Amino acid sequence: MAFPLTVNFIAKSREEEEQEEKTYKKYDQLILTLPQYTIKDVSSSSSSSSSSSAMPVLQHRQYRQHQGFWFEPYMMLPGVMAAQDHFVPRPSDILICTPFKVGTTWLKALAFATLNRKDQPGKQSLLLSHNPHHCVLNLEFNLYGRNRLTDLTVGTSPRLLSTHIPCQLFPTSWLSSGCKFVFLCRNPKDTFISYWHFANKVLKDVQYKVPLDDEFDAYLKGVHMAGPLWDHVLGFWNASPVNPDKVLFMKYEELKSDTAVKLKKLAEFMGCPFTEEEERDGVLEKILDMCSFESLRNLEVNKNGTADISHKYGNEVYFRKGEVGDWVNFLTPEMAERLDQAMEQKLKDSGLSFKA
């Protein structure tokens, strides 16, 4: 079975707790010295949202640049630093690696269901009662992002984990551990629109609106969670041919258009290929059906449950459309061309491209 659903936090001595506190204070102090970028957002308070004369409230979202990439400095970056310093991968680990808003939830569900299909077949799957982000825990948010260094020495193998940390920021020990990395990316225009919608959905305390133009300008500068997107993608693109047995590079559009073939490839990469008997018995089709966008979105846990132990927003924020090409409903032709040109320039001579 893959990594267990929950992590049992072992009681620590007062000395250990004090050392842990010092560790995160060190990260907080370091973060204050890093390059900063601020985006101004317009919102109106929820208490006055019913009034047509509600005054807009100016909100500020801040990013800090760490080792060439931009992160939210309070919720995410301490966990990134702690994971870099303290996570020790096992050779049997499988890490789901993604930029933000590229189909992470779906990939987690597919990987978890496939890896655990013998222990949790059909109606016994935890995916029917738990959000995929509960089933596949994230390093920088769930495991190291709550100012606590999680003890990961326990737990069965293989462990299925996830991260948004770019490959370029992986410690040498991660890359030499023998563990496997599954990377998923998506057309940059759809990625941006999904990111923008997500930013508008996660805050419940205010009637929040992130201006599309301001978010887009920042995105073109590479300023967004775990951005620049082009560098994030290139890191795994360049790593894949060097070690194809350890790095699987996937595109959302290809996974969407030929899910069965891509899922079989994913199963082989994870070391649990589908047998001929399983294919005859329809095991693969059952996983595809259980993990489809509509099936996951309509589960009670994903309509009314809470996203995870480090956030307060609900699971529904992870399910919008999942469509390919939805960007045409939001970006002007000029904006689309600017983003296409930026990506083309950044990916020049890499051999990687994205369809319109």
Side-chain angles (χ1 to χ4, degrees):
M1 181 180 290
F3 191 78
L5 177 65
T6 57
V7 176
N8 295 320
F9 294 106
I10 300 174
K12 299 181 180 181
S13 67
R14 179 56 187 164
E15 182 179 353
E16 289 174 321
E17 290 178 349
E18 289 177 350
Q19 183 59 47
E20 196 171 77
E21 185 176 347
K22 290 179 181 178
T23 296
Y24 281 92
K25 282 186 177 180
K26 178 189 70 176
Y27 296 142
D28 291 338
Q29 292 170 356
L30 175 58
I31 288 170
L32 292 176
T33 69
L34 299 177
Q36 175 181 318
Y37 188 98
T38 301
I39 301 177
K40 296 180 180 180
D41 303 321
V42 177
S43 65
S44 59
S45 65
S46 57
S47 61
S48 60
S49 60
S50 60
S51 171
S52 59
S53 60
M55 292 295 293
V57 178
L58 197 62
Q59 303 287 332
H60 296 82
R61 283 184 301 127
Q62 184 185 111
Y63 294 90
R64 295 276 184 168
Q65 191 179 51
H66 172 58
Q67 298 178 354
F69 288 85
W70 294 94
F71 299 95
E72 190 283 328
Y74 307 108
M75 181 179 68
M76 184 180 186
L77 191 45
V80 171
M81 293 176 169
Q84 286 179 304
D85 289 344
H86 298 280
F87 174 59
V88 180
R90 299 174 183 172
S92 58
D93 284 348
I94 302 168
L95 266 68
I96 302 295
C97 306
T98 59
F100 277 80
K101 308 313 299 170
V102 298
T104 306
T105 308
W106 184 33
L107 179 58
K108 282 186 176 185
L110 289 170
F112 184 85
T114 300
L115 198 60
N116 292 283
R117 64 185 184 271
K118 289 184 172 60
D119 297 306
Q120 300 177 25
K123 294 183 179 180
Q124 298 179 41
S125 177
L126 287 173
L127 287 168
L128 299 179
S129 56
H130 296 78
N131 181 270
H133 296 292
H134 276 142
C135 297
V136 184
L137 298 181
N138 178 277
L139 292 179
E140 59 271 20
F141 287 118
N142 303 116
L143 301 176
Y144 294 100
R146 291 164 296 160
N147 290 344
R148 186 179 182 94
L149 301 177
T150 306
D151 182 2
L152 296 180
T153 58
V154 297
T156 56
S157 294
R159 303 182 303 185
L160 183 62
L161 303 168
S162 76
T163 184
H164 294 299
I165 299 175
C167 181
Q168 295 91 323
L169 273 59
F170 286 2
T172 303
S173 60
W174 294 18
L175 299 171
S176 62
S177 66
C179 72
K180 295 182 177 181
F181 305 96
V182 179
F183 181 74
L184 182 68
C185 60
R186 187 181 187 183
N187 181 288
K189 296 189 289 292
D190 277 332
T191 300
F192 167 72
I193 289 301
S194 183
Y195 184 85
W196 173 64
H197 276 289
F198 187 76
N200 277 319
K201 291 167 67 175
V202 296
L203 295 182
K204 289 186 175 181
D205 294 336
V206 294
Q207 297 298 315
Y208 198 78
K209 183 64 176 178
V210 180
L212 179 63
D213 290 344
D214 291 349
E215 192 73 56
F216 186 75
D217 288 343
Y219 211 85
L220 280 178
K221 296 174 183 176
V223 183
H224 53 92
M225 293 280 263
L229 177 64
W230 44 82
D231 288 336
H232 198 146
V233 173
L234 276 176
F236 287 95
W237 174 255
N238 292 330
S240 178
V242 175
N243 202 342
D245 294 334
K246 300 302 179 184
V247 181
L248 176 63
F249 188 97
M250 305 176 70
K251 288 184 178 180
Y252 177 85
E253 292 77 16
E254 295 173 353
L255 181 62
K256 181 95 171 174
S257 65
D258 207 353
T259 311
V261 170
K262 297 302 180 183
L263 182 58
K264 290 174 64 175
K265 184 175 182 179
L266 175 62
E268 291 175 2
F269 178 78
M270 294 192 299
C272 56
F274 289 97
T275 64
E276 293 182 1
E277 181 180 2
E278 285 180 316
E279 292 197 47
R280 287 196 302 269
D281 291 342
V283 173
L284 189 147
E285 285 75 14
K286 291 177 183 177
I287 290 177
L288 293 176
D289 180 65
M290 179 175 65
C291 297
S292 71
F293 184 85
E294 288 301 320
S295 295
L296 290 173
R297 183 171 64 177
N298 289 323
L299 290 172
E300 183 64 25
V301 66
N302 293 326
K303 291 192 291 185
N304 299 306
T306 301
D308 58 52
I309 53 180
S310 64
H311 299 119
K312 296 181 180 179
Y313 49 80
N315 291 333
E316 75 278 359
V317 302
Y318 292 109
F319 301 92
R320 192 178 72 87
K321 288 186 177 180
E323 295 179 356
V324 174
D326 186 49
W327 63 267
V328 299
N329 298 309
F330 301 94
L331 296 180
T332 66
E334 186 269 340
M335 295 170 75
E337 184 178 359
R338 288 174 62 194
L339 185 51
D340 283 342
Q341 289 179 348
M343 293 299 299
E344 184 177 350
Q345 179 183 1
K346 300 296 183 179
L347 301 180
K348 185 178 180 181
D349 299 327
S350 69
L352 175 63
S353 63
F354 293 90
K355 296 180 180 179

